[in-house]
Amino acid sequence: MLTIAVSKGRIYEETLPLLAEAGITPIDDPKKCRKLILQTSRDDVQLVIIRATDVPTFVEYGAADLGIAGKDVLLEHGADSLYEPLDLNIACCRLMTAAHKDAPEQRGRIRVATKYVKIAQSYFASKGIQAEIIKLYGSMELAPLVGLADCIVDLVDTGNTLKANDLEPRELIMNISSRLVVNKAAMKMKHAAIAALLSQFEQTLAKR
Ligand code: AMP
């Protein structure tokens, strides 16, 4: 049995066509049922539906053999303990700093609200900027509006969320896409099955 960890939402939706090309169709729809383990059209493949930030943990501990997670989540988790053989080029977006549209560029020590504490720390350190990082779990856009932070570090896709909150993107930290990650022991123990799946994904991606 191969277990693949996927998060609900955009990554799940964009993963479905890749899985379909590999002959894997989930039997239930996670939007309509509350099952956390989804059986598929293939007896030897099941999906576990978990929070995006938990995907690296499930794969690291071997609770899932494979997982699909954004590069942002993998970097924040510290993904040395996983193989990351494929960039799936899905759920693409940008990790950026953003600030109030009227805010001048800050000099000296700044306060940054984000859920990406590690990434933000190393980004500002690399620029020689002293930053106090405030960890939030959501609604980062609110922080500059209520004086909690000078700026935020968050994912930006269309930019509509920032705009709706009078913020603007400032600096690009990195481009983000979702990656396939593999448990190191599973890569050895289930090599044939995983290699076959990787090659099917690669073929589908090459056609795009
Ligand atoms: P947008 O308004 O299109 O710029 O989207 C920004 C909002 O969607 C922010 O709350 C982001 O955290 C979230 N977001 C955008 N792209 C992604 C992605 N690829 N994965 C997860 N969240 C995303």
Side-chain angles (χ1 to χ4, degrees):
M1 175 64 80
L2 279 185
T3 300
I4 308 176
V6 191
S7 57
K8 247 195 231 181
R10 184 171 168 189
I11 291 181
Y12 181 80
E13 299 303 328
E14 294 192 31
T15 298
L16 280 180
L18 277 174
L19 292 172
E21 290 266 351
I24 303 166
T25 309
I27 287 168
D28 291 301
D29 177 353
K31 274 189 293 204
K32 293 190 188 132
C33 82
R34 284 163 184 267
K35 281 187 187 166
L36 300 175
I37 300 181
L38 300 184
Q39 304 307 321
T40 71
S41 51
R42 266 175 56 174
D43 286 346
D44 61 334
V45 179
Q46 65 181 8
L47 306 184
V48 289
I49 306 297
I50 55 182
R51 277 185 79 114
T53 45
D54 290 334
V55 169
T57 308
F58 273 66
V59 176
E60 184 179 340
Y61 285 92
D65 302 301
L66 303 120
I68 295 169
K71 187 67 184 171
D72 51 322
V73 168
L74 296 173
L75 282 172
E76 194 60 27
H77 176 84
D80 290 354
S81 49
L82 308 171
Y83 289 129
E84 188 191 309
L86 262 188
D87 183 347
L88 300 175
N89 252 308
I90 58 172
C92 295
C93 58
R94 291 156 291 151
L95 186 67
M96 301 200 67
T97 66
H100 193 275
K101 61 183 173 38
D102 300 328
E105 204 185 314
Q106 287 281 320
R107 309 211 177 274
R109 192 174 167 83
I110 58 168
R111 283 212 306 220
V112 182
T114 187
K115 60 179 169 186
Y116 301 104
V117 172
K118 280 197 213 162
I119 298 176
Q121 257 157 0
S122 75
Y123 173 73
F124 288 106
S126 76
K127 299 202 65 169
I129 296 171
Q130 274 198 53
E132 178 187 348
I133 312 292
I134 300 174
K135 165 99 185 179
L136 293 180
Y137 292 87
S139 302
M140 260 82 73
E141 297 82 7
L142 190 56
L145 306 179
V146 295
L148 178 60
D150 302 300
C151 67
I152 62 172
V153 167
D154 196 11
L155 298 178
V156 181
D157 182 14
T158 60
N160 290 341
T161 307
L162 293 180
K163 210 167 171 190
N165 291 292
D166 293 328
L167 305 182
E168 64 181 14
R170 292 276 168 99
E171 283 174 38
L172 175 69
I173 300 178
M174 69 184 75
N175 289 307
I176 300 290
S177 56
S178 289
R179 313 297 167 101
L180 184 77
V181 288
V182 184
N183 172 270
K184 287 191 171 172
M187 190 69 126
K188 291 200 191 91
M189 309 290 288
K190 303 183 181 180
H191 187 263
I194 291 175
L197 197 60
L198 277 174
S199 129
Q200 278 165 324
F201 281 175
E202 271 166 345
Q203 282 173 32
T204 306
L205 294 170
K207 283 191 258 162
R208 290 189 170 174

